[in-house]
C-alpha cells in the first residue's frame, strides 16, 4: 500500500461502516479516494458527501488497495475474495474468516506481528473479544491467564443500526403508554429489559455464537489454546458501549496494584474508577475499572471493562490495522530502496 490509497468501504451505511468513514477522516488516513458500498437499496444515497454504490453482481471492485468490510458474514464470504483478487487487502469485520488458520485475527495493540505474511485477508475480531484482549494481554504477558469467567453487557448497536431503532421505538412506545412494537431482531423486547443470551444458537449448541466467538478468538489472539473460558453474553438496553465483568484467574499470582500498574502503561487502556458505556461512547479507549482481588481464589482478580463497540470494538481497530499495514509497506519500500 503506498500513500494515496484507494479505499472501498463495504457496508458503509451501517452502524460500523459510518464510524469507519468518520475514523478514516478523523485520523487523516491517506486515502486518494473512498468509495462507499452498501446494498442495492442504498445505491445513489449521499453519505457525508460520497455517493453510495450498490454491491451488485457487475459492480466494479478492481483497483482498490484497501477494502474495509462491515456488511455481515454472507456479504464478506461472497465479496471479500473478489476484492482481494482485484488487488485489495481486505480488513473484514465479520465472522466469515476469523477461524481460518491462515487469516490473521488482529488487535492492533496486542498481536500486530500476526499481520506478517498475510495473504490479502485480515479479520477484525468480535467487539466483545476486542476490548477484553486490550485489557487482558498485558496481564497474560506478565503472569499467564489460566481461566476467564466473563459476563458481557452488550449494547444494541452491536447488532446493527436497525437494533438501535428497535430499542428506541420500544422505549418511546413504553414511555408514551402505548403498546410496544413486537420484537423483530431480538427474541424478547429489549427496552427496559435484559436478554440473557446475546447472539444466536446453532443447532444443538447451548452456547450462543457470540459466546463461541469469545472463546475461540481469545485463544487465537493470545496464541494460547490452554486458556479456559466460561462466558455468558447478555444484551442490555444501551445504545453504544459494551461492558464486561471479567474474572481473571492467572497462572502466577498478581496483585491488584501490579495489574493496575501494568494497565496504566498499556496501549489503548484507560484506567477509570467506574467506567460506563455512556462515558466510553465516541472514544477509542478501553476503560478498565473495579480491579480487585477475588477473595475466593488466591490467583484471581475481578475487573470491569467498557468500550465503544463501534469504535475500538470494530472501526477503530480496522483503521489501526490499515495504518499498521501502511507503515509496514513504507518501511519495506525503504528497505528495498536501500538494497538497490
Ligand atoms: P444497506 O444500508 O443498504 O442495507 P448494520 O450492521 O448497521 O445493520 O449495517 C449493515 C451494512 O451492510 C449496511 O451498510 C447495509 O447496507 C450493508 N449490506 C447489507 N446487505 C448487503 C448486501 N447484500 N450487499 C452489500 N451491502 C449490504
Amino acid at each position: 500500500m503506498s500513500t494515496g490509497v484507494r479505499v472501498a468501504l463495504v457496508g458503509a451505511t451501517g452502524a460500523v461502516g459510518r464510524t469507519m468513514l468518520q475514523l478514516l477522516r478523523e485520523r487523516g488516513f491517506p486515502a486518494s479516494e473512498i468509495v462507499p458500498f452498501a446494498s442495492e437499496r442504498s445505491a445513489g444515497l449521499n453519505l457525508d458527501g460520497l455517493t453510495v454504490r450498490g454491491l451488485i453482481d457487475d459492480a466494479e471492485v478492481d483497483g482498490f488497495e484497501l477494502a474495509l468490510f462491515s456488511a455481515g458474514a454472507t456479504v464478506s464470504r461472497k465479496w471479500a475474495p473478489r476484492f482481494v483478487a482485484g488487488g485489495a487487502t481486505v480488513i473484514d469485520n465479520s465472522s466469515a474468516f476469523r477461524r481460518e488458520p491462515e487469516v490473521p485475527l488482529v488487535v492492533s495493540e496486542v498481536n500486530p506481528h500476526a499481520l506478517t505474511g498475510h495473504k490479502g485477508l485480515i479479520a477484525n475480531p468480535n467487539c466483545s473479544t476486542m476490548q477484553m484482549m486490550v485489557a487482558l494481554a498485558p496481564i497474560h504477558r506478565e503472569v499467564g491467564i489460566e481461566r476467564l469467567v466473563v459476563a458481557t453487557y452488550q449494547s444494541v448497536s452491536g447488532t446493527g443500526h436497525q437494533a438501535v431503532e428497535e430499542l428506541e421505538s420500544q422505549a418511546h412506545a413504553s414511555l408514551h403508554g402505548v403498546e410496544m412494537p413486537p420484537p423483530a431482531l431480538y427474541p424478547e423486547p429489549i427496552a427496559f429489559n435484559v436478554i440473557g443470551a446475546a447472539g444466536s444458537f446453532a443447532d444443538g449448541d447451548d452456547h450462543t455464537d457470540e459466546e463461541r466467538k469469545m472463546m475461540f478468538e481469545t485463544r487465537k489472539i493470545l496464541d494460547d489454546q490452554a486458556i479456559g473460558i466460561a462466558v455468558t453474553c447478555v444484551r442490555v438496553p444501551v445504545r453504544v458501549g459494551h461492558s464486561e465483568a471479567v474474572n481473571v484467574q492467572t497462572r502466577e499470582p498478581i496483585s491488584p496494584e501490579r495489574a493496575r500498574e501494568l494497565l496504566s502503561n498499556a496501549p489503548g487502556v484507560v484506567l477509570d474508577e467506574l467506567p460506563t458505556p455512556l462515558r466510553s461512547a465516541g472514544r477509542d479507549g478501553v476503560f478498565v475499572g473495579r480491579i480487585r482481588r477475588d477473595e475466593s481464589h488466591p490467583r484471581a482478580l475481578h475487573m470491569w471493562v467498557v468500550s465503544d463497540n463501534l469504535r475500538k470494538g470494530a472501526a477503530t481497530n480496522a483503521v489501526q490495522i490499515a495504518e499498521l499495514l501502511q507503515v509496514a509497506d513504507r518501511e519495506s519500500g525503504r528497505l528495498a530502496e536501500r538494497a538497490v
Side-chain angles (χ1 to χ4, degrees):
M1 230 185 285
S2 58
T3 44
V5 179
R6 201 163 168 257
V7 184
L9 202 51
V10 178
T13 53
V16 171
R18 284 173 189 267
T19 313
M20 283 172 165
L21 177 58
Q22 197 183 327
L23 274 156
L24 286 168
R25 288 176 167 167
E26 219 175 273
R27 296 172 72 98
F29 188 81
S32 59
E33 188 188 8
I34 300 174
V35 179
F37 288 95
S39 79
E40 212 174 343
R41 297 179 290 275
S42 303
L45 206 82
N46 183 306
L47 187 73
D48 292 331
L50 304 175
T51 305
V52 175
R53 295 189 196 171
L55 202 52
I56 48 172
D57 274 341
D58 59 354
E60 183 52 68
V61 301
D62 290 348
F64 291 99
E65 286 148 297
L66 174 68
L68 302 180
F69 268 64
S70 193
T74 310
V75 173
S76 291
R77 270 188 214 104
K78 176 171 176 188
W79 286 97
R82 299 193 194 182
F83 276 80
V84 173
T89 297
V90 170
I91 302 173
D92 179 35
N93 193 50
S94 83
S95 59
F97 308 107
R98 290 179 190 149
R99 284 175 177 264
E100 293 188 9
E102 76 279 10
V103 174
L105 181 66
V106 175
V107 180
S108 66
E109 297 88 347
V110 175
N111 63 336
H113 49 270
L115 290 169
T116 310
H118 74 82
K119 298 185 171 60
L121 204 50
I122 294 153
N124 212 33
N126 161 266
C127 40
S128 301
T129 314
M130 186 93 72
Q131 67 186 62
M132 190 168 79
M133 293 300 92
V134 175
L136 292 184
I139 294 173
H140 186 56
R141 266 184 226 119
E142 172 115 333
V143 285
I145 291 173
E146 194 168 83
R147 180 169 185 250
L148 297 167
V149 182
V150 184
T152 69
Y153 302 68
Q154 297 179 220
S155 72
V156 296
S157 56
T159 314
H161 68 290
Q162 284 170 347
V164 180
E165 282 161 27
E166 183 159 323
L167 167 62
E168 287 176 348
S169 62
Q170 289 174 355
H172 188 270
S174 174
L175 289 170
H176 288 80
V178 295
E179 202 181 326
M180 279 195 202
L185 293 168
Y186 296 123
E188 295 289 330
I190 185 65
F192 305 106
N193 209 0
V194 166
I195 301 175
S200 52
F201 291 96
D203 272 353
D205 196 353
D206 58 3
H207 283 65
T208 69
D209 58 346
E210 285 286 300
E211 290 159 355
R212 293 283 173 210
K213 286 175 200 172
M214 288 190 79
M215 293 153 92
F216 176 86
E217 294 178 25
T218 294
R219 296 185 184 115
K220 179 165 176 176
I221 294 162
L222 296 179
D223 193 20
D224 189 340
Q225 293 302 315
I227 300 174
I229 309 173
V231 56
T232 302
C233 288
V234 177
R235 192 71 62 187
V236 294
V238 167
R239 279 198 189 91
V240 176
H242 288 357
S243 309
E244 298 171 336
V246 182
N247 182 276
V248 198
Q249 190 174 311
T250 54
R251 293 186 181 136
E252 303 297 324
I254 182 170
S255 67
E257 294 71 30
R258 178 62 185 148
R260 246 177 250 122
E261 189 182 342
L262 283 174
L263 292 178
S264 68
N265 294 314
V269 174
V270 182
L271 287 180
D272 185 346
E273 207 133 289
L274 186 57
T276 67
L278 274 184
R279 202 163 45 243
S280 79
R283 298 168 72 185
D284 285 319
V286 172
F287 297 83
V288 184
R290 302 219 59 212
I291 301 172
R292 64 202 191 279
R293 199 178 295 286
D294 172 354
E295 294 180 355
S296 72
H297 193 282
R299 285 176 284 105
L301 298 176
H302 294 293
M303 56 176 77
W304 178 245
V305 181
V306 181
S307 191
D308 181 329
N309 52 292
L310 301 177
R311 288 183 74 105
K312 183 58 199 175
T316 303
N317 195 67
V319 175
Q320 285 171 318
I321 291 173
E323 290 168 350
L324 286 171
L325 294 173
Q326 266 246 313
V327 171
D329 273 15
R330 259 203 319 271
E331 280 174 359
S332 63
R334 264 207 302 276
L335 289 179
E337 273 167 36
R338 253 185 252 141
V340 170

